[in-house]
Amino acid sequence: MGFPVEQQHVTDLLPAYSLGALDEPDATRVERHLAVCSSCQAELAQYRRVRDRIALAAPLVEPSPHLHRRLVERIAAEPQTPAGPVRQSRWQRFVEFSRRAAPVWTPLSLLLIAGLLIANLWLWRSVPPAPILAAVPLTGTAAAPQAYGFVTAAPDSATGTLVAQELPPLDPSHQYQLWLIRDGQRTSGGVFSVSPEGFGTLSIQAPQPLFSYDAFGITVEPAGGSPGPTGDRVLGGQL
Amino acid sequence: MASSPDLARLADDVLMRLIAMRRQDALDTLYARYNRLVFGLALHMLHHDHAAAEEVTLDVFVSVWQHASTYRPDKAQVTTWLTTLARHRCIDRLRALRVRPEGYLADLAQLDQTAIQDAAAMDAEWLVQRERVQTALQDLPAEQRQVLFLAYYQGLSQSEMAEALGLPLGTVKTRIRLAMQKLRTLLESEI
């Protein structure tokens, strides 16, 4: 009554909403309310499960045997790369896009770098030098001989970035995990997935400065990561 | 059908993982298991247009091949994934061609007679589930089942249903709500 319209429950409208049968303005009203009401969200989830069962009332009918042959032909025309974990972060999508655009931006960035170097040389005369980024190369093990990458960070920083290339794509239930190794102790540096081309990046937030560790290692772990390494080591680098 | 006997014993979600790894024999197995479900649904929704229903079936299984890695077993059963894909494609077609629901309404009486058909090779648990749903739908009053099916199988909105059936909008709204509430109660143990 005295409540704004978004706060009034929409229980009676949810059955039709779950079927996609609600007309405006009711549909918008339901959406606004759902955004703020978890009990109506739960109720809707139930109606959606009911809705999905209605499909089972249709008769089962055998299609023509030719249809399977057509399916095989369509599949054969599809690209053969595995449809691995393609859920990428915004950053990964940006990096992917940059890679594809490489023919255009490579010469441009070389020019830009040359320009910046000249500007830097000129600035060095007046300003004390600032810390520069260091990088530790990573090389593939027998489990992933093609793989390579690097970890980069400012010398005393606990935050950095991992870039890996040519890692085998994994099924959705697995991810790669970075291990920060010191005195035989392994601390997780985070988990990441790779694109179908095997390219992945990870933003690292370590408990200690990154270059105070002895080595970095990357293993295959169940999605979400493990408390300690359990799978094959695919990449590694000594400091 | 080139579907390996070993794969035929695997659960649906395991098949999906194999399909994501580009195992075509796993797709063949899933197709052998559910082509009648998808084709039957499309045929029913598209007023027995065989050619159109075949196109939809093909699209659904090609989509499975392309997007198997995005399937999440905790979100939905594989059969729900398949029927949802098929339903959306059919509704898109019906809307694009502005198909009127009258032909479908004539069909509904026939659907009510449908008995469970030969379904060897399909998951036994799934068949039990299907039988329960069919029994529950038969328990609804015919006029409630009619609006439910128009919404689900033809993608009609409440106002479109009111027009097609020559009923007041309020009547349609009540029937949809009662139908879904009753179905939810009838299927409570499994949803």
Side-chain angles (χ1 to χ4, degrees):
Chain A
M1 213 99 58
F3 291 110
V5 98
E6 296 85 53
Q7 288 179 25
Q8 290 167 21
H9 288 303
V10 291
T11 321
D12 281 356
L13 298 177
L14 290 175
Y17 182 78
S18 73
L19 287 160
L22 216 50
D23 295 282
E24 291 299 346
D26 287 342
T28 304
R29 193 185 138 202
V30 170
E31 272 154 26
R32 287 203 179 137
H33 177 71
L34 283 170
V36 297
C37 176
S38 58
S39 75
C40 282
Q41 284 167 15
E43 183 116 348
L44 175 64
Q46 279 215 338
Y47 279 122
R48 282 185 167 150
R49 284 194 287 275
V50 172
R51 170 204 67 192
D52 291 337
R53 294 300 163 92
I54 301 173
L56 305 188
L60 301 171
V61 184
E62 185 99 40
S64 138
H66 304 302
L67 196 61
H68 182 250
R69 199 180 322 136
R70 287 180 62 199
L71 175 66
V72 172
E73 285 166 10
R74 283 272 296 272
I75 299 303
E78 292 283 316
Q80 284 305 302
T81 49
V86 287
R87 191 172 286 194
Q88 293 181 335
S89 68
R90 219 174 262 195
W91 164 248
Q92 280 174 313
R93 285 201 299 272
F94 169 72
V95 172
E96 265 305 294
F97 168 77
S98 312
R99 268 158 52 88
R100 278 177 203 174
V104 178
W105 65 254
T106 303
L108 286 178
S109 22
L110 285 176
L111 267 177
L112 187 67
I113 289 168
L116 287 172
L117 276 176
I118 294 166
N120 253 342
L121 283 173
W122 185 74
L123 277 172
W124 267 358
R125 291 155 188 263
S126 51
V127 191
I132 51 163
L133 290 180
V136 175
L138 304 172
T139 48
T141 64
Q146 312 289 325
Y148 62 100
F150 57 86
V151 170
T152 179
D156 296 319
S157 172
T159 61
T161 303
L162 161 81
V163 177
Q165 308 242 49
E166 309 279 331
L167 278 173
L170 300 175
D171 66 87
S173 61
H174 289 86
Q175 280 187 299
Y176 289 107
Q177 188 163 10
L178 168 69
W179 301 99
L180 314 168
I181 306 164
R182 180 162 46 202
D183 303 330
Q185 291 280 339
R186 283 161 172 79
T187 310
S188 175
V191 294
F192 64 100
S193 300
V194 296
S195 70
E197 291 81 27
F199 177 77
T201 62
L202 172 69
S203 203
I204 312 165
Q205 297 278 349
Q208 307 287 328
L210 274 170
F211 297 126
S212 68
Y213 290 90
D214 303 332
F216 301 126
I218 287 151
T219 58
V220 178
E221 301 296 335
S226 307
T230 62
D232 285 342
R233 183 174 163 116
V234 289
L235 267 181
Q238 301 284 332
L239 270 89
Chain B
M1 183 95 19
S3 143
S4 120
D6 291 339
L7 291 180
R9 288 203 299 269
L10 295 180
D12 293 351
D13 57 326
V14 180
L15 283 179
M16 289 298 271
R17 285 181 58 179
L18 291 174
I19 295 169
M21 293 160 73
R22 287 306 196 238
R23 288 274 301 263
Q24 198 196 310
D25 51 353
L27 182 73
D28 290 341
T29 307
L30 195 79
Y31 179 84
R33 202 173 282 176
Y34 293 122
N35 66 59
R36 287 174 298 170
L37 168 69
V38 174
F39 182 68
L41 173 63
L43 203 60
H44 174 71
M45 291 185 69
L46 300 173
H47 308 198
H48 301 285
D49 180 340
H50 271 75
E54 286 198 347
E55 285 309 314
V56 167
T57 308
L58 208 53
D59 277 357
V60 166
F61 284 96
V62 170
S63 268
V64 168
W65 181 250
Q66 290 168 332
H67 304 295
S69 64
T70 64
Y71 171 72
R72 298 282 174 269
D74 52 324
K75 300 266 185 223
Q77 295 180 357
V78 172
T79 48
T80 303
W81 211 53
L82 294 172
T83 53
T84 305
L85 280 172
R87 176 178 181 243
H88 287 157
R89 277 173 172 67
C90 289
I91 290 176
D92 287 348
R93 262 176 195 260
L94 292 169
R95 287 196 183 138
L97 300 172
R98 297 175 189 280
V99 176
R100 305 274 313 157
E102 284 75 10
Y104 179 80
L105 282 169
D107 234 39
L108 266 190
Q110 205 190 328
L111 184 71
D112 288 351
Q113 312 300 319
T114 307
I116 302 240
Q117 294 157 27
D118 162 54
M122 299 187 88
D123 182 49
E125 196 181 317
W126 183 81
L127 286 169
V128 172
Q129 196 180 81
R130 180 167 183 263
E131 195 174 348
R132 263 194 227 121
V133 172
Q134 296 204 329
T135 310
L137 285 164
Q138 289 305 318
D139 283 352
L140 295 181
E143 70 272 11
Q144 289 181 18
R145 196 163 52 239
Q146 183 188 51
V147 286
L148 200 62
F149 281 15
L150 279 176
Y152 184 81
Y153 289 116
Q154 298 294 285
L156 294 197
S157 73
Q158 295 185 131
S159 59
E160 288 166 333
M161 283 184 253
E163 195 201 321
L165 298 170
L167 288 171
L169 181 58
T171 308
V172 170
K173 287 182 176 180
T174 308
R175 285 182 186 175
I176 282 276
R177 181 166 49 78
L178 293 177
M180 284 296 277
Q181 284 169 346
K182 177 152 189 207
L183 202 54
R184 178 174 143 176
T185 311
L186 290 170
L187 298 175
E188 195 154 37
S189 59
E190 46 182 299
I191 53 160

